[in-house]
Amino acid sequence: MAMTNQASLQLPPKPIPRDLLNLLEAFNDVFQTPVGLPPSRLQDHRIPLRDESMIVNMRTYYYPIIQKNEMERLIQKMSHNRIIRDSNSAFASPIVMVKEKDGSWHLCMDYRQLNKLTIRDNFPTLVIEELLDELDLRACYHQIRMHKEDIYKTKFWTHEGHYEFLVMPFGLTNVLSTFQALMNSIFKPLLRKSVLVFFDDILLYSKS
């Protein structure tokens, strides 16, 4: 028996129902990539230190030219989206360039020394490595502002300048609990009635 070409077994995509298209068009703004700062909320992220007189100032790492080029592109993009700004803070943390599975690069702030001085929440969370594999938390974090009094602590070095975050960056202690607290606050009237929230995974089980 001759083997059937796998491509011939693929069915053509079904057309999207008109009612669904109308719904998507009516709420088109929901699916757009956020640009600019989110509103200030009670859950703006704080960085409480055990000793507020302590300063974390680490030297930048060495980066090969390909990483420097990608770093410049990503910094320019974040500056354009107004989630970072130039900084002259006494704090400073370096960047680690992480290569994704698709070959792209990601800026990872090395806040380990800052985290050692940060007072930890008692909010229970999973191991961070497990969450990175399952959730797209980086984009979600940028929808939460940094508390204005703690912005200067997020400063990071690059070969072309110093910047600080206006939104909650990935890599800080307590960011998972801040994000979950915001989700709980937003969905509070519906929790355990028709909605369950686990970080950025939202389960709806209402019949309507």
Side-chain angles (χ1 to χ4, degrees), residues 119-185:
I119 300 173
R120 293 180 176 272
D121 286 343
N122 293 322
F123 191 89
T125 61
L126 292 180
V127 178
I128 188 65
E129 287 77 10
E130 296 179 8
L131 293 171
L132 284 174
D133 291 337
E134 300 295 333
L135 309 176
D136 184 21
L137 287 171
R138 292 188 184 94
C140 298
Y141 282 3
H142 291 173
Q143 299 179 46
I144 299 177
R145 293 180 75 143
M146 283 296 306
H147 192 279
K148 61 182 181 180
E149 296 180 3
D150 291 312
I151 289 175
Y152 74 98
K153 298 174 185 175
T154 69
K155 175 184 164 184
F156 60 93
W157 295 84
T158 75
H159 62 280
E160 60 173 359
H162 304 165
Y163 303 90
E164 59 192 17
F165 275 95
L166 301 177
V167 297
M168 187 171 70
F170 200 85
L172 288 175
T173 292
N174 301 330
V175 290
L176 289 174
S177 56
T178 296
F179 186 82
Q180 184 67 60
L182 175 61
M183 293 296 97
N184 290 347
S185 175

Side-chain angles (χ1 to χ4, degrees), residues 1-184:
M1 179 184 294
M3 295 183 64
T4 304
N5 190 324
Q6 185 176 2
S8 64
L9 298 178
Q10 296 179 353
L11 298 177
K14 294 183 179 180
I16 301 177
R18 171 49 55 183
D19 290 346
L20 180 56
L21 284 175
N22 292 339
L23 185 65
L24 293 174
E25 292 173 1
F27 294 94
N28 181 59
D29 59 320
V30 175
F31 302 98
Q32 301 302 312
T33 301
V35 177
L37 292 176
S40 291
R41 304 181 178 97
L42 181 64
Q43 293 81 16
D44 288 352
H45 188 68
R46 301 295 304 260
I47 308 177
L49 302 181
R50 295 188 181 92
D51 183 353
E52 291 291 340
S53 66
M54 296 290 292
I55 294 176
V56 174
N57 192 308
M58 298 175 61
R59 297 187 63 179
T60 186
Y61 300 137
Y62 167 79
Y63 310 102
I65 187 65
I66 187 173
Q67 293 186 10
K68 287 183 178 179
N69 292 339
E70 189 62 17
M71 188 185 301
E72 291 176 6
R73 186 187 70 82
L74 294 172
I75 291 294
Q76 184 178 16
K77 180 179 179 181
M78 290 192 294
S79 296
H80 174 74
N81 291 338
R82 301 191 298 277
I83 64 175
I84 63 173
R85 68 184 182 192
D86 293 335
S87 176
N88 59 2
S89 167
F91 279 68
S93 296
I95 289 176
V96 176
M97 295 295 291
V98 178
K99 198 167 189 179
E100 304 288 358
K101 295 178 182 178
D102 61 1
S104 62
W105 291 91
H106 175 72
L107 290 178
C108 183
M109 311 306 159
D110 186 358
Y111 286 129
R112 287 177 294 178
Q113 295 302 315
L114 179 61
N115 289 339
K116 289 180 180 179
L117 301 179
T118 303
I119 300 173
R120 293 180 176 272
D121 286 343
N122 293 322
F123 191 89
T125 61
L126 292 180
V127 178
I128 188 65
E129 287 77 10
E130 296 179 8
L131 293 171
L132 284 174
D133 291 337
E134 300 295 333
L135 309 176
D136 184 21
L137 287 171
R138 292 188 184 94
C140 298
Y141 282 3
H142 291 173
Q143 299 179 46
I144 299 177
R145 293 180 75 143
M146 283 296 306
H147 192 279
K148 61 182 181 180
E149 296 180 3
D150 291 312
I151 289 175
Y152 74 98
K153 298 174 185 175
T154 69
K155 175 184 164 184
F156 60 93
W157 295 84
T158 75
H159 62 280
E160 60 173 359
H162 304 165
Y163 303 90
E164 59 192 17
F165 275 95
L166 301 177
V167 297
M168 187 171 70
F170 200 85
L172 288 175
T173 292
N174 301 330
V175 290
L176 289 174
S177 56
T178 296
F179 186 82
Q180 184 67 60
L182 175 61
M183 293 296 97
N184 290 347

Side-chain angles (χ1 to χ4, degrees), residues 173-207:
T173 292
N174 301 330
V175 290
L176 289 174
S177 56
T178 296
F179 186 82
Q180 184 67 60
L182 175 61
M183 293 296 97
N184 290 347
S185 175
I186 292 174
F187 292 103
K188 185 176 181 179
L190 302 175
L191 290 179
R192 299 179 59 241
K193 297 177 182 176
S194 59
V195 172
L196 292 176
V197 179
F198 181 72
F199 299 106
D200 69 341
D201 285 349
I202 302 171
L203 173 64
L204 308 176
Y205 53 94
S206 169
K207 293 183 179 180

